[in-house]
Amino acid sequence: MNDYVISSSDLTKQYGSFKAVDQLDLQVPKGSICGFLGQNGAGKSTTIKMLLGMVKPTSGSGSVLGFDIEEEKSSLEIRKRVAYVAEDKRLYDYMTVAQILNFTRPFFGAWDKDLERHLLDEFKLPINRSIKKLSKGMRTQLALVLGICRNTEILILDEPSEGLDPVNNEKVLKLLVGLASDGKTIFFSSHNVFEVEQVSDYIIMIHKGRLVESKSLEQLKEDNKIIKCLYSEKHNLDLKSLKAAKSVKSDPNSVLVFADGDKSALLDILKQSHPSSVEVINLSLKDIFLENLKALESHVIS
Amino acid sequence: MLFHKYWLETRTRFYIGILVISALCLFFVLGQPWILKQWALDEIRDPNIYNPPWIIRAKNDFTFFIWRFLYNNLLQLAWVLLTIMLAIGGISQELEKGTSLFTLSLPVTRFKLFSLRILVGFLEAVALALLPVIIVPLFSALIGQDYSFLVAVNHAVLFITGGLVFYSLGILINTLIKSEATAFFISLGMVIVYYFLFQPYSEGMHEPRLLKYFDLPAIIGGNGGKAELTSLNLVPFVSCCVVSFLLLLISYYFVKNQDFNDK
């Protein structure tokens, strides 16, 4: 996992005093399906736009497939090799589905016509219908067709499932897995943590523009756990001794510790407080995401 | 493909332009005998009616009549407004429509997006400026009048030269202001104010020398319909091109450095 196709160092975007992205160090492994998680306004879209030359970074650097994101010539090379489906799926209203496909195809030499036919058929997109008459879901499907068929090394998708019904959402997720198995890298942001967990093998979490986690899904789940201690009597645990924890919730008869990485030291401290039971609970990606957010918001994190 | 995209974006405005310019040209060319008849009837009704010098000249000089009503008046104003309409759009305004990210995801430089958009609008404006070159001499012949093809070409060149400044100004306003409607109304307001400021000089008032360099309506209008291509003044031609180039350069500077983010 040392081969990264997207990387950034101290990448920052500042609007006045507001930092949309704050010293972000990003690394997306080649061939992965990388889920990019964060709340609304966390800086996901701004990060993606910086990677593609649509927004200029205030400071820091970044590269995609080895091309510098700030140089105009490099940015052009990036866009030849990276397909992007934006969060805003509005397309040219004055074109029909066929016209926009005919318009986009010549820009990409490796355009996959067979995949285009397959997807048009799969999504049942009306080829001669004006884009302004398409439903929101159909527009999302068309935007995905226009992105995926570019047949590029990397696919960056910003909220790809927005507006899709569950059936078509499932089709898209399967398609992403198929593309990754062909060696393509998928970097996608989503609010839907469940679907991210379903298909991703690598997770990047950001909060208020800062990196929170960047690990394989497996490693993330291995590292992020809750230790639950129950006490038959009121415990006398000094919570300050749990500095290594990301967050701690305590009431007289229980202590819940959200911890990352090696937990043996924490377990030793907890066991010294003589709990009646100690349980290490595995977490879903959703729980890990929410616990991290809670920890960051409550500033309990050390 | 980008040419086709920009053509699809602007074609309705171009068609409107064809209609407006054709209608104006046809009305004043084919309507000239009727207008002369009305003037004659006015004189019969009131023998003491005051006829300004331009009416006396327009009665006897068809080329001047066309210049007075079209090239130095309605056709000019319509054409300037059409150039401003053709300047609407471009990558900056796609942000408001939500399509800028799709466009910018294509492997095309911002310079290419910017310059091709300008070129398509400009070519449409040139086509509109050339329309009277066909309509005016052709339909003049239909009513038994002679209108020099060269004079028509000369006016087209003047239209393109002066109109380029308004077009470039329109591009700059459209680059700076993200809403199409707001950009259009600001451009419209500027044209109205501009023409209002220079109106007295077109009516014969002495124009200070310095102002002459900024008198675009006079540059576009030419000198009373008598100009020939050979007498085309190079100073306003070059200055209009330089000003337009600078306006476009400033516009490109903004496009190049623009962040396409809705934050």
Side-chain angles (χ1 to χ4, degrees):
Chain A
M1 285 278 197
N2 284 331
D3 202 358
Y4 298 111
V5 287
I6 299 175
S7 61
S8 75
S9 171
D10 284 337
L11 194 65
T12 302
K13 183 67 197 179
Q14 197 160 346
Y15 296 97
S17 59
F18 170 70
K19 278 186 177 170
V21 177
D22 189 3
Q23 295 181 303
L24 190 65
D25 293 329
L26 202 72
Q27 284 177 324
V28 178
K30 186 179 181 181
S32 65
I33 301 185
C34 178
F36 193 26
L37 287 175
Q39 284 181 292
N40 283 338
K44 302 189 296 292
S45 295
T46 305
T47 302
I48 290 172
K49 286 172 193 168
M50 281 196 281
L51 294 173
L52 294 170
M54 294 158 185
V55 167
K56 305 221 179 294
T58 308
S59 60
S61 61
S63 72
V64 177
L65 292 164
F67 294 101
D68 187 343
I69 59 169
E70 283 208 81
E71 275 180 37
E72 194 164 356
K73 269 190 182 171
S74 296
S75 182
L76 194 65
E77 291 303 320
I78 291 171
R79 279 174 282 136
K80 280 181 190 165
R81 293 165 172 82
V82 177
Y84 169 57
V85 178
E87 185 181 13
D88 193 339
K89 310 280 186 308
R90 282 180 288 175
L91 298 162
Y92 309 139
D93 272 352
Y94 46 85
M95 286 189 186
T96 63
V97 173
Q99 277 177 327
I100 201 162
L101 285 164
N102 291 336
F103 167 76
T104 313
R105 218 180 280 129
F107 288 103
F108 301 92
W111 184 273
D112 192 335
K113 261 206 131 179
D114 291 334
L115 185 61
E116 177 197 315
R117 269 192 291 271
H118 168 74
L119 289 177
L120 289 175
D121 192 44
E122 189 83 4
F123 291 141
K124 295 179 179 61
L125 278 170
I127 196 89
N128 292 317
R129 190 177 294 177
S130 162
I131 288 170
K132 73 175 150 221
K133 288 180 183 160
L134 294 180
S135 66
K136 194 182 176 191
M138 279 180 165
R139 268 207 303 272
T140 299
Q141 288 163 357
L142 180 57
L144 286 166
V145 173
L146 290 167
I148 291 167
C149 294
R150 291 176 190 192
N151 200 11
T152 50
E153 293 166 59
I154 303 177
L155 251 156
I156 298 182
L157 310 170
D158 202 350
E159 302 291 343
S161 58
E162 196 190 31
L164 290 180
D165 60 60
V167 176
N168 281 313
N169 193 20
E170 199 61 30
K171 284 180 191 171
V172 170
L173 295 179
K174 271 186 188 167
L175 184 69
L176 295 185
V177 174
L179 290 168
S181 66
D182 290 342
K184 297 189 191 309
T185 306
I186 319 277
F187 180 52
F188 80 110
S189 78
S190 176
H191 291 113
N192 189 336
V193 186
F194 178 71
E195 75 178 20
V196 172
E197 183 169 15
Q198 204 183 338
V199 296
S200 303
D201 50 26
Y202 198 87
I203 302 294
I204 293 175
M205 268 182 216
I206 62 169
H207 182 64
K208 292 185 177 170
R210 297 199 76 129
L211 188 70
V212 178
E213 288 282 9
S214 179
K215 282 172 187 161
S216 71
L217 179 62
E218 203 181 350
Q219 190 65 50
L220 190 74
K221 286 185 165 183
E222 185 54 40
D223 287 351
N224 286 272
K225 295 197 174 176
I226 283 182
I227 307 167
K228 184 179 176 184
C229 297
L230 296 176
Y231 299 87
S232 47
E233 292 169 11
K234 187 182 172 187
H235 71 79
N236 56 359
L237 181 69
D238 179 10
L239 297 180
K240 284 177 188 164
S241 64
L242 302 171
K243 272 184 183 169
K246 277 187 168 179
S247 70
V248 179
K249 252 187 260 172
S250 168
D251 63 39
N253 295 103
S254 71
V255 174
L256 288 172
V257 178
F258 175 52
D260 188 5
D262 184 16
K263 284 161 273 295
S264 53
L266 277 171
L267 280 167
D268 287 346
I269 296 168
L270 288 165
K271 278 173 187 166
Q272 281 168 21
S273 64
H274 308 295
S276 54
S277 72
V278 178
E279 190 186 356
V280 179
I281 303 169
N282 290 328
L283 298 173
S284 66
L285 181 61
K286 185 182 171 184
D287 292 332
I288 294 170
F289 178 61
L290 293 175
E291 287 298 332
N292 270 296
L293 289 188
K294 272 190 240 167
L296 287 165
E297 288 297 329
S298 59
H299 306 288
V300 177
I301 197 160
S302 54
Chain B
M1 290 317 290
L2 282 170
F3 258 108
H4 186 62
K5 163 183 153 57
Y6 291 133
W7 161 246
L8 291 178
E9 272 178 22
T10 52
R11 64 180 172 178
T12 309
R13 283 170 266 160
F14 179 65
Y15 293 145
I16 291 170
I18 290 177
L19 280 176
V20 170
I21 292 211
S22 304
L24 278 171
C25 290
L26 289 174
F27 180 79
F28 283 101
V29 172
L30 299 177
Q32 187 256 6
W34 179 80
I35 292 169
L36 291 189
K37 208 183 278 175
Q38 291 305 309
W39 284 346
L41 280 173
D42 287 345
E43 278 174 11
I44 293 165
R45 273 191 220 113
D46 179 6
N48 296 322
I49 193 167
Y50 169 73
N51 275 331
W54 71 265
I55 286 193
I56 296 161
R57 190 177 164 193
K59 278 180 189 170
N60 305 308
D61 184 345
F62 180 71
T63 304
F64 179 79
F65 176 92
I66 292 298
W67 176 80
R68 188 63 176 76
F69 280 102
L70 285 176
Y71 291 115
N72 200 40
N73 203 326
L74 288 171
L75 186 63
Q76 182 184 142
L77 200 57
W79 192 70
V80 166
L81 293 179
L82 286 167
T83 58
I84 278 168
M85 273 172 72
L86 288 170
I88 293 172
I91 186 66
S92 298
Q93 293 195 337
E94 279 195 43
L95 189 61
E96 194 198 25
K97 292 178 188 163
T99 58
S100 60
L101 297 180
F102 178 77
T103 306
L104 289 168
S105 76
L106 301 169
V108 185
T109 58
R110 289 192 189 187
F111 177 74
K112 198 169 178 183
L113 289 171
F114 177 76
S115 53
L116 282 181
R117 168 64 188 85
I118 285 171
L119 187 63
V120 170
F122 181 67
L123 288 178
E124 287 169 343
V126 168
L128 292 180
L130 290 173
L131 199 57
V133 175
I134 301 161
I135 296 177
V136 174
L138 187 73
F139 285 88
S140 298
L142 277 184
I143 58 161
Q145 293 283 358
D146 183 33
Y147 193 90
S148 162
F149 178 72
L150 270 183
V151 171
V153 170
N154 181 63
H155 279 300
V157 173
L158 293 172
F159 264 40
I160 293 164
T161 307
L164 186 61
V165 179
F166 284 110
Y167 180 67
S168 308
L169 188 68
I171 295 283
L172 179 62
I173 293 168
N174 277 271
T175 304
L176 297 176
I177 293 156
K178 304 296 166 272
S179 154
E180 271 188 8
T182 313
F184 175 70
F185 284 113
I186 288 175
S187 306
L188 184 69
M190 285 178 79
V191 168
I192 291 169
V193 168
Y194 201 91
Y195 270 79
F196 180 76
L197 284 176
F198 283 96
Q199 178 68 21
Y201 308 116
S202 73
E203 297 294 334
M205 195 175 138
H206 174 72
E207 188 173 22
R209 193 173 172 166
L210 185 69
L211 275 185
K212 271 185 186 166
Y213 296 113
F214 298 96
D215 194 348
L216 277 172
I219 293 169
I220 300 173
N223 62 353
K226 288 296 179 197
E228 296 290 338
L229 267 181
T230 46
S231 68
L232 195 69
N233 193 345
L234 271 179
V235 176
F237 178 79
V238 172
S239 48
C240 281
C241 288
V242 170
V243 170
S244 305
F245 180 73
L246 289 174
L247 288 170
L248 293 176
L249 209 62
I250 297 167
S251 307
Y252 176 63
Y253 172 81
F254 283 107
V255 169
K256 190 174 186 285
N257 294 297
Q258 187 176 353
D259 275 345
F260 287 83
N261 213 356
D262 42 15
K263 293 194 170 56

